[in-house]
Amino acid sequence: MTVVVPEDYHAKEALQKRNISCITREQALKQDIRALRIGILNIMPQAETYEYNLLFPLGRTLIQIEPVWIRLNTHLYKSTSHSHLDNLYVSMEKATEEKHLDGLIITGAPVEEIAFEEVSYWKEITEIMSFARDNIASTLGICWGGLALAKYIGIEKMRYEKKLFGIYEIKNIARDHEVTGELDDVFLCPQSRHSGIHDDVLEKEQEKGNINLLAHAPETGYVIFESSDKNFIMHLGHPEYNSQRLIKEYTRDKAKGRADVEEPVNFNVENPVNRWRSHSLEFFGQWIRYAYQKTPY
């Protein structure tokens, strides 16, 4: 249960308090084990405050993880500390210049209400996805990242009238799958999005052999699915979120006066209870295991 981070990493103490061992890259190189290099294309607002949400479940896996934080060349990162970006983040070219990536995560982004083609960094994202499909064992897209992967393989999103927001029961419909197979038959997972994909669209894509559907709920539609070549896995929820992240988003949206955002379903912002942590840990643990087994290196 180890992650490789800089000696002065801002979330090091918080991770250690949750029993995540933190070591430097120099210490990792001295160990008789190769850390799994997981690229993380982090395009969440205030990117540095989001990092912990991924490092916690990744750090709970049994395989040593070296996160490689990736930045876009065509994104301004208005809400993120540029000194933090300069110190920790690298371009995709730099991330893969000397060593391969064993896996890639594309995070959510606050642009899901905008057409993909209108997103300023869409061209760069498509180039990264194209590279990943041919050169990285498994790419995981979370929320908007999942929608972006779907768009790349020809599946368009739709915008909701109201934000899908809260904790929902999701049914595991692929009990023999390498990643989702050992998830609970029904598991809880946060949803926080203004867009999704019609069930009919995804079912037709499965009939055509383009995707495999993995998890579904009537209120959310299909939440987890993958490309038929198994190189892309899309999770439209936010399994990595903790309670405070949900509260923060609700407070932010209400402060903006958004009438299309209601209080999160099945979640009390005044008395928050995390009931999806086991799903988060199991999902990321199985994905890391899958990437480890699938990488040819």
Side-chain angles (χ1 to χ4, degrees):
M1 300 180 184
T2 302
V3 292
V4 181
V5 297
E7 179 64 37
D8 58 351
Y9 184 62
H10 67 96
K12 181 178 178 180
E13 184 177 351
L15 289 164
Q16 290 175 327
K17 285 182 178 179
R18 299 296 298 277
N19 298 315
I20 307 296
S21 176
C22 297
I23 63 174
T24 64
R25 191 175 187 190
E26 290 73 22
Q27 290 172 315
L29 290 172
K30 295 176 182 178
Q31 297 187 350
D32 190 24
I33 183 174
R34 183 180 76 82
L36 213 62
R37 297 184 79 237
I38 301 299
I40 304 174
L41 179 56
N42 182 8
I43 38 182
M44 289 288 282
Q46 299 177 326
E48 66 270 35
T49 67
Y50 173 74
E51 292 166 5
Y52 174 88
N53 289 269
L54 283 176
L55 287 185
F56 175 67
L58 292 176
R60 292 286 295 179
T61 62
L62 293 177
I63 300 172
Q64 191 177 109
I65 302 297
E66 179 185 355
V68 181
W69 299 99
I70 298 171
R71 65 187 296 175
L72 294 167
N73 297 317
T74 52
H75 182 34
L76 296 178
Y77 293 94
K78 294 180 180 179
S79 64
T80 299
S81 163
H82 279 247
S83 63
H84 181 74
L85 288 170
D86 292 341
N87 289 334
L88 192 62
Y89 285 63
V90 296
S91 67
M92 187 67 174
E93 293 79 9
K94 186 69 174 177
T96 56
E97 187 176 58
E98 297 179 357
K99 292 184 179 180
H100 71 279
L101 294 175
D102 299 288
L104 175 67
I105 297 174
I106 303 176
T107 72
V111 292
E112 60 194 85
E113 297 174 84
I114 305 172
F116 288 110
E117 295 82 1
E118 296 177 11
V119 175
S120 61
Y121 47 79
W122 179 243
K123 182 178 184 294
E124 187 177 2
I125 288 277
T126 60
E127 292 170 352
I128 289 173
M129 291 187 291
S130 178
F131 174 86
R133 195 170 198 183
D134 293 334
N135 297 280
I136 299 176
S138 181
T139 297
L140 167 64
I142 300 173
C143 196
W144 184 85
L147 294 170
L149 290 176
K151 171 69 172 179
Y152 181 82
I153 61 175
I155 305 172
E156 188 59 73
K157 66 181 173 72
M158 59 165 288
R159 181 176 172 179
Y160 297 144
E161 291 184 4
K162 288 189 176 181
K163 183 177 183 179
L164 181 67
F165 193 33
I167 312 302
Y168 294 86
E169 285 192 346
I170 313 296
K171 184 178 180 181
N172 181 353
I173 58 175
R175 288 298 315 282
D176 59 346
H177 189 264
E178 299 93 332
V179 176
T180 62
E182 293 307 318
L183 300 181
D184 289 343
D185 293 351
V186 176
F187 56 87
L188 295 169
C189 184
Q191 308 292 313
S192 180
R193 50 192 166 97
H194 293 274
S195 299
I197 304 172
H198 273 300
D199 282 0
D200 289 350
V201 171
L202 289 174
E203 287 165 0
K204 288 178 181 177
E205 290 296 322
Q206 179 168 254
E207 289 174 5
K208 290 190 291 186
N210 291 337
I211 61 170
N212 303 315
L213 299 172
L214 306 177
H216 178 268
E219 303 91 342
T220 65
Y222 289 99
V223 173
I224 310 177
F225 53 100
E226 67 177 355
S227 58
S228 56
D229 61 10
K230 294 182 173 287
N231 287 352
F232 290 166
I233 184 166
M234 302 76 154
H235 195 317
L236 302 189
H238 272 292
E240 81 287 10
Y241 270 17
N242 55 27
S243 298
Q244 290 306 311
R245 190 82 197 189
L246 287 172
I247 295 170
K248 181 179 179 180
E249 289 198 357
Y250 175 67
T251 303
R252 176 201 65 197
D253 290 345
K254 295 309 291 184
K256 291 180 178 179
R258 295 199 60 150
D260 61 342
V261 179
E262 298 177 347
E263 189 166 333
V265 173
N266 299 320
F267 182 79
N268 187 341
V269 295
E270 301 297 329
N271 184 29
V273 175
N274 188 314
R275 298 184 294 145
W276 63 92
R277 188 179 299 113
S278 59
H279 165 62
S280 176
L281 297 180
E282 182 69 15
F283 176 79
F284 282 102
Q286 292 296 338
W287 179 70
I288 286 293
R289 177 176 174 271
Y290 177 65
Y292 172 76
Q293 291 178 333
K294 195 169 179 238
T295 186
Y297 304 99

PDB file of all heavy atoms in Angstrom, residues 64-85:
ATOM      1  N   GLN A  64       2.791  -1.312  -5.685  1.00  0.00           N
ATOM      2  CA  GLN A  64       3.379   0.014  -5.499  1.00  0.00           C
ATOM      3  C   GLN A  64       3.052   0.902  -6.696  1.00  0.00           C
ATOM      4  O   GLN A  64       3.209   0.487  -7.843  1.00  0.00           O
ATOM      5  CB  GLN A  64       4.893  -0.125  -5.335  1.00  0.00           C
ATOM      6  CG  GLN A  64       5.584   1.148  -4.881  1.00  0.00           C
ATOM      7  CD  GLN A  64       7.065   0.917  -4.659  1.00  0.00           C
ATOM      8  OE1 GLN A  64       7.884   1.393  -5.437  1.00  0.00           O
ATOM      9  NE2 GLN A  64       7.410   0.153  -3.634  1.00  0.00           N
ATOM     10  N   ILE A  65       2.580   2.107  -6.420  1.00  0.00           N
ATOM     11  CA  ILE A  65       2.115   3.019  -7.468  1.00  0.00           C
ATOM     12  C   ILE A  65       2.987   4.259  -7.539  1.00  0.00           C
ATOM     13  O   ILE A  65       3.257   4.897  -6.519  1.00  0.00           O
ATOM     14  CB  ILE A  65       0.652   3.449  -7.206  1.00  0.00           C
ATOM     15  CG1 ILE A  65      -0.281   2.245  -7.129  1.00  0.00           C
ATOM     16  CG2 ILE A  65       0.188   4.440  -8.280  1.00  0.00           C
ATOM     17  CD1 ILE A  65      -0.373   1.440  -8.397  1.00  0.00           C
ATOM     18  N   GLU A  66       3.419   4.602  -8.744  1.00  0.00           N
ATOM     19  CA  GLU A  66       4.074   5.882  -8.986  1.00  0.00           C
ATOM     20  C   GLU A  66       3.136   6.728  -9.843  1.00  0.00           C
ATOM     21  O   GLU A  66       3.014   6.504 -11.047  1.00  0.00           O
ATOM     22  CB  GLU A  66       5.408   5.714  -9.717  1.00  0.00           C
ATOM     23  CG  GLU A  66       6.092   7.051  -9.987  1.00  0.00           C
ATOM     24  CD  GLU A  66       7.359   6.936 -10.813  1.00  0.00           C
ATOM     25  OE1 GLU A  66       7.772   5.793 -11.104  1.00  0.00           O
ATOM     26  OE2 GLU A  66       7.925   7.985 -11.166  1.00  0.00           O
ATOM     27  N   PRO A  67       2.430   7.685  -9.223  1.00  0.00           N
ATOM     28  CA  PRO A  67       1.553   8.542 -10.026  1.00  0.00           C
ATOM     29  C   PRO A  67       2.368   9.513 -10.871  1.00  0.00           C
ATOM     30  O   PRO A  67       3.327  10.112 -10.385  1.00  0.00           O
ATOM     31  CB  PRO A  67       0.727   9.291  -8.968  1.00  0.00           C
ATOM     32  CG  PRO A  67       1.598   9.301  -7.759  1.00  0.00           C
ATOM     33  CD  PRO A  67       2.418   8.045  -7.794  1.00  0.00           C
ATOM     34  N   VAL A  68       2.001   9.625 -12.125  1.00  0.00           N
ATOM     35  CA  VAL A  68       2.654  10.574 -13.030  1.00  0.00           C
ATOM     36  C   VAL A  68       1.599  11.612 -13.397  1.00  0.00           C
ATOM     37  O   VAL A  68       0.698  11.340 -14.194  1.00  0.00           O
ATOM     38  CB  VAL A  68       3.198   9.862 -14.287  1.00  0.00           C
ATOM     39  CG1 VAL A  68       3.902  10.869 -15.195  1.00  0.00           C
ATOM     40  CG2 VAL A  68       4.141   8.724 -13.899  1.00  0.00           C
ATOM     41  N   TRP A  69       1.696  12.785 -12.795  1.00  0.00           N
ATOM     42  CA  TRP A  69       0.674  13.817 -12.988  1.00  0.00           C
ATOM     43  C   TRP A  69       0.912  14.528 -14.312  1.00  0.00           C
ATOM     44  O   TRP A  69       1.995  15.048 -14.571  1.00  0.00           O
ATOM     45  CB  TRP A  69       0.701  14.808 -11.823  1.00  0.00           C
ATOM     46  CG  TRP A  69       0.416  14.162 -10.515  1.00  0.00           C
ATOM     47  CD1 TRP A  69       1.310  13.759  -9.574  1.00  0.00           C
ATOM     48  CD2 TRP A  69      -0.879  13.783 -10.017  1.00  0.00           C
ATOM     49  NE1 TRP A  69       0.662  13.171  -8.511  1.00  0.00           N
ATOM     50  CE2 TRP A  69      -0.678  13.173  -8.752  1.00  0.00           C
ATOM     51  CE3 TRP A  69      -2.179  13.913 -10.508  1.00  0.00           C
ATOM     52  CZ2 TRP A  69      -1.745  12.686  -7.981  1.00  0.00           C
ATOM     53  CZ3 TRP A  69      -3.226  13.432  -9.747  1.00  0.00           C
ATOM     54  CH2 TRP A  69      -3.011  12.837  -8.497  1.00  0.00           C
ATOM     55  N   ILE A  70      -0.124  14.542 -15.135  1.00  0.00           N
ATOM     56  CA  ILE A  70      -0.003  15.045 -16.506  1.00  0.00           C
ATOM     57  C   ILE A  70      -0.821  16.322 -16.680  1.00  0.00           C
ATOM     58  O   ILE A  70      -1.971  16.399 -16.223  1.00  0.00           O
ATOM     59  CB  ILE A  70      -0.457  13.970 -17.512  1.00  0.00           C
ATOM     60  CG1 ILE A  70       0.464  12.738 -17.398  1.00  0.00           C
ATOM     61  CG2 ILE A  70      -0.451  14.512 -18.934  1.00  0.00           C
ATOM     62  CD1 ILE A  70      -0.028  11.546 -18.182  1.00  0.00           C
ATOM     63  N   ARG A  71      -0.241  17.293 -17.325  1.00  0.00           N
ATOM     64  CA  ARG A  71      -0.934  18.552 -17.615  1.00  0.00           C
ATOM     65  C   ARG A  71      -1.101  18.709 -19.123  1.00  0.00           C
ATOM     66  O   ARG A  71      -0.357  18.129 -19.918  1.00  0.00           O
ATOM     67  CB  ARG A  71      -0.146  19.739 -17.055  1.00  0.00           C
ATOM     68  CG  ARG A  71       1.204  19.936 -17.700  1.00  0.00           C
ATOM     69  CD  ARG A  71       2.035  21.011 -17.006  1.00  0.00           C
ATOM     70  NE  ARG A  71       1.421  22.332 -17.114  1.00  0.00           N
ATOM     71  CZ  ARG A  71       1.915  23.417 -16.503  1.00  0.00           C
ATOM     72  NH1 ARG A  71       2.996  23.319 -15.743  1.00  0.00           N
ATOM     73  NH2 ARG A  71       1.323  24.585 -16.643  1.00  0.00           N
ATOM     74  N   LEU A  72      -2.076  19.506 -19.490  1.00  0.00           N
ATOM     75  CA  LEU A  72      -2.318  19.806 -20.901  1.00  0.00           C
ATOM     76  C   LEU A  72      -1.565  21.076 -21.290  1.00  0.00           C
ATOM     77  O   LEU A  72      -1.474  22.021 -20.506  1.00  0.00           O
ATOM     78  CB  LEU A  72      -3.814  19.998 -21.142  1.00  0.00           C
ATOM     79  CG  LEU A  72      -4.703  18.766 -20.945  1.00  0.00           C
ATOM     80  CD1 LEU A  72      -6.168  19.168 -20.912  1.00  0.00           C
ATOM     81  CD2 LEU A  72      -4.460  17.745 -22.048  1.00  0.00           C
ATOM     82  N   ASN A  73      -1.060  21.092 -22.498  1.00  0.00           N
ATOM     83  CA  ASN A  73      -0.368  22.283 -22.993  1.00  0.00           C
ATOM     84  C   ASN A  73      -1.345  23.373 -23.404  1.00  0.00           C
ATOM     85  O   ASN A  73      -0.981  24.556 -23.444  1.00  0.00           O
ATOM     86  CB  ASN A  73       0.510  21.911 -24.190  1.00  0.00           C
ATOM     87  CG  ASN A  73       1.600  20.923 -23.823  1.00  0.00           C
ATOM     88  OD1 ASN A  73       2.238  21.053 -22.784  1.00  0.00           O
ATOM     89  ND2 ASN A  73       1.815  19.927 -24.681  1.00  0.00           N
ATOM     90  N   THR A  74      -2.596  22.983 -23.705  1.00  0.00           N
ATOM     91  CA  THR A  74      -3.567  23.941 -24.246  1.00  0.00           C
ATOM     92  C   THR A  74      -4.643  24.328 -23.232  1.00  0.00           C
ATOM     93  O   THR A  74      -5.683  24.864 -23.613  1.00  0.00           O
ATOM     94  CB  THR A  74      -4.229  23.336 -25.506  1.00  0.00           C
ATOM     95  OG1 THR A  74      -4.744  22.025 -25.194  1.00  0.00           O
ATOM     96  CG2 THR A  74      -3.227  23.216 -26.635  1.00  0.00           C
ATOM     97  N   HIS A  75      -4.400  24.066 -21.957  1.00  0.00           N
ATOM     98  CA  HIS A  75      -5.360  24.403 -20.903  1.00  0.00           C
ATOM     99  C   HIS A  75      -4.731  25.441 -19.978  1.00  0.00           C
ATOM    100  O   HIS A  75      -3.559  25.327 -19.615  1.00  0.00           O
ATOM    101  CB  HIS A  75      -5.734  23.138 -20.133  1.00  0.00           C
ATOM    102  CG  HIS A  75      -6.749  23.350 -19.046  1.00  0.00           C
ATOM    103  ND1 HIS A  75      -7.763  24.272 -19.143  1.00  0.00           N
ATOM    104  CD2 HIS A  75      -6.902  22.741 -17.841  1.00  0.00           C
ATOM    105  CE1 HIS A  75      -8.502  24.223 -18.040  1.00  0.00           C
ATOM    106  NE2 HIS A  75      -7.995  23.306 -17.238  1.00  0.00           N
ATOM    107  N   LEU A  76      -5.514  26.446 -19.563  1.00  0.00           N
ATOM    108  CA  LEU A  76      -4.965  27.561 -18.781  1.00  0.00           C
ATOM    109  C   LEU A  76      -4.853  27.262 -17.285  1.00  0.00           C
ATOM    110  O   LEU A  76      -4.085  27.919 -16.582  1.00  0.00           O
ATOM    111  CB  LEU A  76      -5.840  28.813 -18.986  1.00  0.00           C
ATOM    112  CG  LEU A  76      -5.878  29.387 -20.404  1.00  0.00           C
ATOM    113  CD1 LEU A  76      -6.817  30.583 -20.468  1.00  0.00           C
ATOM    114  CD2 LEU A  76      -4.468  29.788 -20.858  1.00  0.00           C
ATOM    115  N   TYR A  77      -5.634  26.309 -16.763  1.00  0.00           N
ATOM    116  CA  TYR A  77      -5.595  25.968 -15.332  1.00  0.00           C
ATOM    117  C   TYR A  77      -5.768  27.228 -14.463  1.00  0.00           C
ATOM    118  O   TYR A  77      -4.948  27.546 -13.610  1.00  0.00           O
ATOM    119  CB  TYR A  77      -4.283  25.265 -14.978  1.00  0.00           C
ATOM    120  CG  TYR A  77      -4.128  23.900 -15.612  1.00  0.00           C
ATOM    121  CD1 TYR A  77      -3.462  23.758 -16.830  1.00  0.00           C
ATOM    122  CD2 TYR A  77      -4.649  22.765 -15.008  1.00  0.00           C
ATOM    123  CE1 TYR A  77      -3.328  22.516 -17.430  1.00  0.00           C
ATOM    124  CE2 TYR A  77      -4.516  21.509 -15.589  1.00  0.00           C
ATOM    125  CZ  TYR A  77      -3.857  21.391 -16.802  1.00  0.00           C
ATOM    126  OH  TYR A  77      -3.724  20.164 -17.386  1.00  0.00           O
ATOM    127  N   LYS A  78      -6.865  27.923 -14.674  1.00  0.00           N
ATOM    128  CA  LYS A  78      -7.096  29.192 -13.985  1.00  0.00           C
ATOM    129  C   LYS A  78      -7.233  29.037 -12.468  1.00  0.00           C
ATOM    130  O   LYS A  78      -6.887  29.947 -11.714  1.00  0.00           O
ATOM    131  CB  LYS A  78      -8.352  29.862 -14.547  1.00  0.00           C
ATOM    132  CG  LYS A  78      -8.226  30.304 -16.001  1.00  0.00           C
ATOM    133  CD  LYS A  78      -9.515  30.954 -16.482  1.00  0.00           C
ATOM    134  CE  LYS A  78      -9.404  31.394 -17.933  1.00  0.00           C
ATOM    135  NZ  LYS A  78     -10.670  32.010 -18.431  1.00  0.00           N
ATOM    136  N   SER A  79      -7.750  27.897 -11.993  1.00  0.00           N
ATOM    137  CA  SER A  79      -8.013  27.739 -10.560  1.00  0.00           C
ATOM    138  C   SER A  79      -6.935  26.938  -9.834  1.00  0.00           C
ATOM    139  O   SER A  79      -7.084  26.638  -8.652  1.00  0.00           O
ATOM    140  CB  SER A  79      -9.376  27.065 -10.351  1.00  0.00           C
ATOM    141  OG  SER A  79      -9.368  25.738 -10.874  1.00  0.00           O
ATOM    142  N   THR A  80      -5.868  26.591 -10.533  1.00  0.00           N
ATOM    143  CA  THR A  80      -4.819  25.747  -9.949  1.00  0.00           C
ATOM    144  C   THR A  80      -3.521  26.529  -9.812  1.00  0.00           C
ATOM    145  O   THR A  80      -3.168  27.325 -10.683  1.00  0.00           O
ATOM    146  CB  THR A  80      -4.588  24.504 -10.828  1.00  0.00           C
ATOM    147  OG1 THR A  80      -5.791  23.741 -10.884  1.00  0.00           O
ATOM    148  CG2 THR A  80      -3.484  23.627 -10.261  1.00  0.00           C
ATOM    149  N   SER A  81      -2.810  26.290  -8.722  1.00  0.00           N
ATOM    150  CA  SER A  81      -1.520  26.934  -8.481  1.00  0.00           C
ATOM    151  C   SER A  81      -0.534  26.559  -9.589  1.00  0.00           C
ATOM    152  O   SER A  81      -0.251  25.382  -9.810  1.00  0.00           O
ATOM    153  CB  SER A  81      -0.961  26.485  -7.131  1.00  0.00           C
ATOM    154  OG  SER A  81       0.414  26.757  -7.045  1.00  0.00           O
ATOM    155  N   HIS A  82      -0.005  27.548 -10.268  1.00  0.00           N
ATOM    156  CA  HIS A  82       0.926  27.265 -11.362  1.00  0.00           C
ATOM    157  C   HIS A  82       2.270  26.802 -10.836  1.00  0.00           C
ATOM    158  O   HIS A  82       2.980  26.052 -11.518  1.00  0.00           O
ATOM    159  CB  HIS A  82       1.060  28.486 -12.263  1.00  0.00           C
ATOM    160  CG  HIS A  82      -0.069  28.612 -13.245  1.00  0.00           C
ATOM    161  ND1 HIS A  82       0.093  28.463 -14.597  1.00  0.00           N
ATOM    162  CD2 HIS A  82      -1.395  28.831 -13.053  1.00  0.00           C
ATOM    163  CE1 HIS A  82      -1.082  28.603 -15.209  1.00  0.00           C
ATOM    164  NE2 HIS A  82      -1.998  28.827 -14.286  1.00  0.00           N
ATOM    165  N   SER A  83       2.639  27.211  -9.649  1.00  0.00           N
ATOM    166  CA  SER A  83       3.881  26.702  -9.071  1.00  0.00           C
ATOM    167  C   SER A  83       3.745  25.215  -8.763  1.00  0.00           C
ATOM    168  O   SER A  83       4.695  24.438  -8.944  1.00  0.00           O
ATOM    169  CB  SER A  83       4.244  27.482  -7.807  1.00  0.00           C
ATOM    170  OG  SER A  83       3.248  27.317  -6.800  1.00  0.00           O
ATOM    171  N   HIS A  84       2.567  24.795  -8.315  1.00  0.00           N
ATOM    172  CA  HIS A  84       2.311  23.373  -8.060  1.00  0.00           C
ATOM    173  C   HIS A  84       2.370  22.589  -9.372  1.00  0.00           C
ATOM    174  O   HIS A  84       2.982  21.516  -9.441  1.00  0.00           O
ATOM    175  CB  HIS A  84       0.947  23.193  -7.400  1.00  0.00           C
ATOM    176  CG  HIS A  84       0.608  21.774  -7.090  1.00  0.00           C
ATOM    177  ND1 HIS A  84       1.188  21.077  -6.046  1.00  0.00           N
ATOM    178  CD2 HIS A  84      -0.241  20.893  -7.698  1.00  0.00           C
ATOM    179  CE1 HIS A  84       0.709  19.841  -6.010  1.00  0.00           C
ATOM    180  NE2 HIS A  84      -0.153  19.709  -7.001  1.00  0.00           N
ATOM    181  N   LEU A  85       1.756  23.121 -10.411  1.00  0.00           N
ATOM    182  CA  LEU A  85       1.806  22.465 -11.721  1.00  0.00           C
ATOM    183  C   LEU A  85       3.243  22.338 -12.217  1.00  0.00           C
ATOM    184  O   LEU A  85       3.659  21.287 -12.702  1.00  0.00           O
ATOM    185  CB  LEU A  85       0.974  23.249 -12.733  1.00  0.00           C
ATOM    186  CG  LEU A  85      -0.549  23.200 -12.592  1.00  0.00           C
ATOM    187  CD1 LEU A  85      -1.188  24.215 -13.528  1.00  0.00           C
ATOM    188  CD2 LEU A  85      -1.090  21.813 -12.889  1.00  0.00           C
TER     189      LEU A  85
END
